[in-house]
Amino acid sequence: MRLATRTEQVPASITLAISATAKAMKAEGLDVCSFSAGEPDFDTPDSIKAAAKKALDEGKTRYGPAAGEPELRQAIATKLQKDNNLDYEVENIIVTNGGKHSLFNLMMALIEPGDEVIIPSPYWLSYPEMVKLAAGTPILVSTTAENKYKITPEQLKEAITPKTKLFVLNSPSNPTGSVYSPDELQQLAAILVERDILVVSDEIYEKILYDGAVHQSIGSFNEEIFARTIVSSGFAKSYSMTGWRVGYIAGPVELIEAMSKIQGHSTSNVCTFAQFGAIEALEGSQEAVETMLKAFTKRRRFIVDRINQIPRLSCPTPEGAFYVFVDISETGMASLEFCETFLDQEKVAAIPGVAFGEDRCIRLSYATDLASIEKGMNRLEKFVNSI
Ligand SMILES: Cc1ncc(COP(=O)(O)O)c(C=O)c1O
């Protein structure tokens, strides 16, 4: 079969492949510790499940508007106003099949062949692939551990060319856990306004913050940057709803209308009764979010301390999300070789940094229970000592 060339331009997802191998090993009865998952280990809160069940019982089982249920779009607009100080109406919101679909759809609606999209590296692995699928050119800008893996205003300025269409910002970040301070964001915003560049702000981890770190949306500083901001988010991480597939984009009306057209010819609406669960997530009690955050806070302290006690390994303390990005370069191994051998020898699954554009590092997700983290760290120490 002659497949479309675009399928050759993107590799298969390494994270999904490693998670699948680890799951298969578990199914064989092996004692696997998995640090690979990009999802909370908690179940979806009962009140959210109850709202979706009620919607099912009430017959909310039909096709709905492609851009989402008006009630959910309104709840998202209200949330963005209340939590993020962003002034959106219902027409500025589209509900999508998860944050991943939000971003894919956005690239389809915005990017023309040859358009450049600036992506700070390390990056969430799907950003460059989505840009390529839309026939755009990802421009990767390497950041450093010393700067907590954040792009500097000078680096952003240097990366801008007449072809630059979009800047991708992800704070809190997957894979590094970095969080941009309001001051840092304001400096980036000033450049984007001056050079008239759009920014997509992926805020899917906004509620998972530590040590007093604050999340501010880049669009909230002034009218000029607001007009150039597209917010991408979803329910997967904050509300432990990864399998529900509900996300959203907020942005200028013409963009939302274009995305709705594409959605109308591809996926149509997001699962109708799932959208009613999402309304409850936004409008109901936020206690479950707090409970998860407390657990993540404890695990983060534990895992960061243990890693930094292992000779030849180091990691900055992440300020958000639920990942640690560990520098393994002093072991002399490349990240893929490290992760494959570690899984094979010690039955521990981690994601090689090369998947995120940084071969010196591996990513460990601490969205797993403390006992497994302790066991995994013992195995990590043993493994590194054996290299
Ligand atoms: C930075 C980032 N953005 C977006 C997503 C997409 O999330 P979902 O499609 O599950 O809503 C993820 C998931 O791993 C992510 O880490």
PDB file of all heavy atoms in Angstrom, residues 73-74 77 86-93 251 253:
ATOM      1  N   ARG A  73     -19.563  25.237  27.355  1.00  0.00           N
ATOM      2  CA  ARG A  73     -18.790  26.373  26.832  1.00  0.00           C
ATOM      3  C   ARG A  73     -18.924  27.572  27.781  1.00  0.00           C
ATOM      4  O   ARG A  73     -17.948  28.283  28.057  1.00  0.00           O
ATOM      5  CB  ARG A  73     -19.246  26.732  25.415  1.00  0.00           C
ATOM      6  CG  ARG A  73     -18.925  25.628  24.401  1.00  0.00           C
ATOM      7  CD  ARG A  73     -19.576  25.885  23.072  1.00  0.00           C
ATOM      8  NE  ARG A  73     -18.876  26.857  22.252  1.00  0.00           N
ATOM      9  CZ  ARG A  73     -19.397  27.442  21.161  1.00  0.00           C
ATOM     10  NH1 ARG A  73     -20.639  27.155  20.777  1.00  0.00           N
ATOM     11  NH2 ARG A  73     -18.701  28.300  20.457  1.00  0.00           N
ATOM     12  N   GLN A  74     -20.144  27.758  28.303  1.00  0.00           N
ATOM     13  CA  GLN A  74     -20.345  28.859  29.257  1.00  0.00           C
ATOM     14  C   GLN A  74     -19.563  28.608  30.546  1.00  0.00           C
ATOM     15  O   GLN A  74     -18.928  29.516  31.094  1.00  0.00           O
ATOM     16  CB  GLN A  74     -21.844  29.019  29.558  1.00  0.00           C
ATOM     17  CG  GLN A  74     -22.177  30.154  30.529  1.00  0.00           C
ATOM     18  CD  GLN A  74     -21.658  31.526  30.048  1.00  0.00           C
ATOM     19  OE1 GLN A  74     -22.066  32.001  28.993  1.00  0.00           O
ATOM     20  NE2 GLN A  74     -20.732  32.136  30.790  1.00  0.00           N
ATOM     21  N   ALA A  77     -16.007  29.461  29.920  1.00  0.00           N
ATOM     22  CA  ALA A  77     -15.810  30.920  29.858  1.00  0.00           C
ATOM     23  C   ALA A  77     -15.810  31.502  31.271  1.00  0.00           C
ATOM     24  O   ALA A  77     -14.968  32.356  31.615  1.00  0.00           O
ATOM     25  CB  ALA A  77     -16.899  31.562  28.996  1.00  0.00           C
ATOM     26  N   LEU A  86      -9.406  36.153  32.243  1.00  0.00           N
ATOM     27  CA  LEU A  86      -9.475  36.231  30.784  1.00  0.00           C
ATOM     28  C   LEU A  86     -10.941  36.422  30.387  1.00  0.00           C
ATOM     29  O   LEU A  86     -11.802  35.649  30.820  1.00  0.00           O
ATOM     30  CB  LEU A  86      -8.933  34.941  30.147  1.00  0.00           C
ATOM     31  CG  LEU A  86      -7.463  34.623  30.414  1.00  0.00           C
ATOM     32  CD1 LEU A  86      -7.129  33.204  29.958  1.00  0.00           C
ATOM     33  CD2 LEU A  86      -6.552  35.633  29.715  1.00  0.00           C
ATOM     34  N   ASP A  87     -11.176  37.418  29.568  1.00  0.00           N
ATOM     35  CA  ASP A  87     -12.538  37.832  29.275  1.00  0.00           C
ATOM     36  C   ASP A  87     -13.074  37.167  28.003  1.00  0.00           C
ATOM     37  O   ASP A  87     -12.997  37.758  26.928  1.00  0.00           O
ATOM     38  CB  ASP A  87     -12.487  39.356  29.096  1.00  0.00           C
ATOM     39  CG  ASP A  87     -13.779  39.982  29.536  1.00  0.00           C
ATOM     40  OD1 ASP A  87     -14.682  39.232  29.932  1.00  0.00           O
ATOM     41  OD2 ASP A  87     -13.863  41.229  29.457  1.00  0.00           O
ATOM     42  N   TYR A  88     -13.568  35.955  28.112  1.00  0.00           N
ATOM     43  CA  TYR A  88     -14.086  35.238  26.942  1.00  0.00           C
ATOM     44  C   TYR A  88     -15.598  35.057  27.044  1.00  0.00           C
ATOM     45  O   TYR A  88     -16.144  34.926  28.133  1.00  0.00           O
ATOM     46  CB  TYR A  88     -13.440  33.851  26.830  1.00  0.00           C
ATOM     47  CG  TYR A  88     -11.985  33.863  26.421  1.00  0.00           C
ATOM     48  CD1 TYR A  88     -11.006  33.360  27.274  1.00  0.00           C
ATOM     49  CD2 TYR A  88     -11.594  34.353  25.180  1.00  0.00           C
ATOM     50  CE1 TYR A  88      -9.662  33.344  26.898  1.00  0.00           C
ATOM     51  CE2 TYR A  88     -10.252  34.340  24.799  1.00  0.00           C
ATOM     52  CZ  TYR A  88      -9.298  33.836  25.661  1.00  0.00           C
ATOM     53  OH  TYR A  88      -7.981  33.822  25.292  1.00  0.00           O
ATOM     54  N   GLU A  89     -16.252  35.019  25.858  1.00  0.00           N
ATOM     55  CA  GLU A  89     -17.674  34.682  25.769  1.00  0.00           C
ATOM     56  C   GLU A  89     -17.774  33.243  25.249  1.00  0.00           C
ATOM     57  O   GLU A  89     -16.770  32.668  24.812  1.00  0.00           O
ATOM     58  CB  GLU A  89     -18.377  35.607  24.758  1.00  0.00           C
ATOM     59  CG  GLU A  89     -18.184  37.090  24.995  1.00  0.00           C
ATOM     60  CD  GLU A  89     -18.953  37.582  26.202  1.00  0.00           C
ATOM     61  OE1 GLU A  89     -19.977  36.959  26.557  1.00  0.00           O
ATOM     62  OE2 GLU A  89     -18.520  38.585  26.796  1.00  0.00           O
ATOM     63  N   VAL A  90     -19.012  32.741  25.215  1.00  0.00           N
ATOM     64  CA  VAL A  90     -19.234  31.381  24.723  1.00  0.00           C
ATOM     65  C   VAL A  90     -18.647  31.193  23.314  1.00  0.00           C
ATOM     66  O   VAL A  90     -18.028  30.158  23.013  1.00  0.00           O
ATOM     67  CB  VAL A  90     -20.756  31.060  24.740  1.00  0.00           C
ATOM     68  CG1 VAL A  90     -21.064  29.798  23.949  1.00  0.00           C
ATOM     69  CG2 VAL A  90     -21.233  30.898  26.169  1.00  0.00           C
ATOM     70  N   GLU A  91     -18.784  32.197  22.452  1.00  0.00           N
ATOM     71  CA  GLU A  91     -18.302  32.085  21.051  1.00  0.00           C
ATOM     72  C   GLU A  91     -16.780  31.965  20.965  1.00  0.00           C
ATOM     73  O   GLU A  91     -16.250  31.644  19.902  1.00  0.00           O
ATOM     74  CB  GLU A  91     -18.665  33.324  20.208  1.00  0.00           C
ATOM     75  CG  GLU A  91     -20.098  33.772  20.236  1.00  0.00           C
ATOM     76  CD  GLU A  91     -20.451  34.504  21.512  1.00  0.00           C
ATOM     77  OE1 GLU A  91     -20.046  35.653  21.687  1.00  0.00           O
ATOM     78  OE2 GLU A  91     -21.142  33.887  22.347  1.00  0.00           O
ATOM     79  N   ASN A  92     -16.099  32.268  22.055  1.00  0.00           N
ATOM     80  CA  ASN A  92     -14.631  32.176  22.048  1.00  0.00           C
ATOM     81  C   ASN A  92     -14.128  30.789  22.462  1.00  0.00           C
ATOM     82  O   ASN A  92     -12.915  30.583  22.582  1.00  0.00           O
ATOM     83  CB  ASN A  92     -14.015  33.191  23.022  1.00  0.00           C
ATOM     84  CG  ASN A  92     -14.295  34.613  22.639  1.00  0.00           C
ATOM     85  OD1 ASN A  92     -15.098  35.288  23.274  1.00  0.00           O
ATOM     86  ND2 ASN A  92     -13.665  35.080  21.590  1.00  0.00           N
ATOM     87  N   ILE A  93     -15.065  29.860  22.718  1.00  0.00           N
ATOM     88  CA  ILE A  93     -14.669  28.555  23.285  1.00  0.00           C
ATOM     89  C   ILE A  93     -15.083  27.422  22.348  1.00  0.00           C
ATOM     90  O   ILE A  93     -16.208  27.406  21.848  1.00  0.00           O
ATOM     91  CB  ILE A  93     -15.394  28.295  24.642  1.00  0.00           C
ATOM     92  CG1 ILE A  93     -15.330  29.497  25.584  1.00  0.00           C
ATOM     93  CG2 ILE A  93     -14.899  27.002  25.304  1.00  0.00           C
ATOM     94  CD1 ILE A  93     -13.994  29.820  26.163  1.00  0.00           C
ATOM     95  N   GLY A 251     -10.099  31.372  22.319  1.00  0.00           N
ATOM     96  CA  GLY A 251      -9.346  32.305  21.473  1.00  0.00           C
ATOM     97  C   GLY A 251     -10.265  33.181  20.659  1.00  0.00           C
ATOM     98  O   GLY A 251     -11.498  33.184  20.862  1.00  0.00           O
ATOM     99  N   VAL A 253     -12.768  34.734  17.982  1.00  0.00           N
ATOM    100  CA  VAL A 253     -13.959  34.080  17.403  1.00  0.00           C
ATOM    101  C   VAL A 253     -13.669  33.473  16.034  1.00  0.00           C
ATOM    102  O   VAL A 253     -14.082  32.347  15.742  1.00  0.00           O
ATOM    103  CB  VAL A 253     -15.134  35.084  17.314  1.00  0.00           C
ATOM    104  CG1 VAL A 253     -16.309  34.475  16.582  1.00  0.00           C
ATOM    105  CG2 VAL A 253     -15.564  35.514  18.710  1.00  0.00           C
TER     106      VAL A 253
END
